[in-house]
């Protein structure tokens, strides 16, 4: 569904993505993980042409995206930004209607879609549609962010550290919710995070990035059982240690 073929991106001050090759299957949930500055956001933003590559080709469904206008491309790709990113002066329903309005949908259809989307992310429309972002909790705001990205029924969902600003419980709940929406809608999802536990729990495959390249790409089980090097081993060490400690605690619990 999405193919990176030897893609590089060089900014004035250096190379953020170097020689990245990666194939993401239709309906796959792929997690891009790596330390801050490893090129995750750049790699993700190349897919909907928020950033243009310096070299290499990105294909969606076999088509070089350089030949599709960014506007057309973004109709088929939902994007959830780092942080929250709702428009503060628009209500929830109005935020959800932004893309449909740009696409010229009828007013009734836009209103109907807002209702559907709120149901999808489990926010009761009668309670939430008319509120402003500041009248929502962080978790609720990010549910609206996810709903907004799905407004025009995209096939692809890109998310850049969508749960970063949320407390751990809400984060966990929303992660599971997104995974469930991914299944139900048959999406191809790419999620950027720096939290390996989150990655292991959500992903079909994890691509570990470092210095603009992919160090290892595999299923959570492959990463856990056969990390390619010390860097990947270190990244899975914390989740592994936590899992072991929790298992021990649970085995002695009454
Ligand atoms: N717009 C930009 N202009 C110049 N350098 C950038 C820009 N965006 C990112 N970078 C640099 O590219 C590298 C990778 O950044 P980024 O893709 O944001 O990494 P990550 O999302 O993994 O933290 C960093 O060194 C960053 O400083
Ligand atoms: Mg980033």
């Amino acid at each position: 569904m999405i193919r990176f073929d030897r893609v590089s991106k060089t900014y004035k001050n250096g190379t953020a993505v170097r020689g990245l090759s990666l194939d993401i299957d239709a309906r796959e949930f792929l997690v891009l993980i790596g330390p801050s500055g490893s090129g995750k956001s750049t790699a993700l933003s190349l897919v909907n042409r928020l950033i243009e590559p310096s070299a290499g080709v990105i294909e969606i469904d076999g088509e070089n995206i350089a030949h599709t206008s960014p506007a057309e491309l973004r109709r088929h790709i939902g994007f959830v930004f780092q942080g929250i990113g709702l428009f503060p002066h628009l209500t929830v329903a109005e935020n959800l209607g932004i893309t449909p309005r740009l696409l010229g949908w009828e007013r009734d259809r836009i209103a109907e879609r807002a209702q559907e989307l709120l149901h999808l992310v489990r926010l009761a429309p009668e309670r939430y549609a008319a509120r402003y972002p500041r009248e929502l909790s962080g978790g609720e705001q990010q549910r609206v962010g996810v709903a907004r990205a799905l407004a025009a029924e995209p096939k692809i969902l890109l998310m850049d550290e969508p749960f970063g600003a949320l407390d751990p419980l809400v984060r966990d709940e929303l992660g599971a919710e997104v995974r469930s929406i991914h299944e139900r809608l048959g999406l191809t999802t790419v999620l950027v995070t720096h939290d390996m536990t989150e990655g292991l729990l959500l992903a079909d495959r994890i691509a570990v990035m470092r210095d603009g390249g992919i160090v290892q790409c595999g299923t959570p089980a492959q990463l856990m059982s056969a990390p390619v090097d010390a860097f990947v081993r270190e990244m899975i060490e914390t989740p592994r240690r936590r899992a072991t400690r929790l298992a021990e605690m649970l085995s002695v619990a009454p």
Side-chain angles (χ1 to χ4, degrees), residues 11 13 16 35-43:
Y11 295 112
N13 51 345
S36 181
S38 56
K40 307 180 297 295
S41 295
T42 301

Side-chain angles (χ1 to χ4, degrees), residues 40-41 82 160-161 192:
K40 307 180 297 295
S41 295
Q82 204 158 356
D160 193 350
E161 309 223 17
V192 165

Side-chain angles (χ1 to χ4, degrees), residues 9-17 33-45 51 82 160-161 192-194 209 211-212:
K9 174 65 187 180
T10 300
Y11 295 112
K12 277 179 298 240
N13 51 345
T15 299
V17 168
I33 198 161
S36 181
S38 56
K40 307 180 297 295
S41 295
T42 301
L44 197 72
S45 305
I51 296 174
Q82 204 158 356
D160 193 350
E161 309 223 17
V192 165
T193 181
H194 57 247
M209 288 191 71
D211 296 337

Side-chain angles (χ1 to χ4, degrees), residues 53-244:
S54 314
V57 171
I58 297 169
E59 291 176 358
I60 292 181
D61 257 342
E63 300 274 350
N64 183 343
I65 63 168
H67 303 149
T68 308
S69 76
E72 170 64 18
L73 198 62
R74 287 168 209 166
R75 270 178 218 184
H76 304 290
I77 301 179
F79 198 102
V80 182
F81 294 93
Q82 204 158 356
I84 304 278
L86 297 178
F87 289 104
H89 57 289
L90 298 181
T91 65
V92 166
E94 287 165 349
N95 267 283
L96 295 175
I98 292 171
T99 306
R101 245 197 329 273
L102 285 173
L103 295 175
W105 292 16
E106 300 283 339
R107 181 200 293 260
D108 287 355
R109 186 168 166 218
I110 294 175
E112 208 174 292
R113 185 64 183 147
Q115 302 259 321
E116 284 173 15
L117 289 164
L118 286 170
H119 283 300
L120 183 71
V121 296
R122 294 178 206 269
L123 295 173
E126 64 280 9
R127 290 182 53 202
Y128 289 96
R131 291 202 204 171
Y132 287 90
R134 65 172 178 278
E135 300 167 331
L136 306 176
S137 72
E140 289 164 345
Q141 287 186 38
Q142 201 51 302
R143 279 172 190 267
V144 176
V146 171
R148 185 175 63 177
L150 297 171
E153 304 190 334
K155 293 182 298 182
I156 294 174
L157 179 61
L158 308 177
M159 292 186 284
D160 193 350
E161 309 223 17
F163 316 133
L166 307 175
D167 72 63
L169 206 64
V170 174
R171 198 178 166 127
D172 194 50
E173 178 187 291
L174 206 48
E177 195 77 63
V178 163
R179 178 73 219 205
S180 147
I181 290 170
H182 163 89
E183 301 297 340
R184 271 181 285 152
L185 302 185
L187 299 171
T188 302
T189 303
V190 185
L191 175 108
V192 165
T193 181
H194 57 247
D195 181 342
M196 185 54 104
T197 305
E198 186 168 275
L200 290 167
L201 291 173
L202 291 178
D204 293 319
R205 271 193 311 156
I206 299 176
V208 181
M209 288 191 71
R210 178 192 199 179
D211 296 337
I214 292 178
V215 189
Q216 181 169 11
C217 185
T219 63
Q222 286 167 344
L223 254 63
M224 294 293 276
S225 61
V228 290
D229 63 10
F231 177 72
V232 177
R233 196 171 310 120
E234 196 179 310
M235 288 193 70
I236 57 173
E237 186 53 33
T238 303
R240 187 199 295 284
R241 207 172 39 233
R242 286 179 166 177
T244 308

Side-chain angles (χ1 to χ4, degrees), residues 27-39:
R27 295 173 174 256
E28 186 169 31
F29 197 118
L30 185 118
V31 166
L32 266 185
I33 198 161
S36 181
S38 56

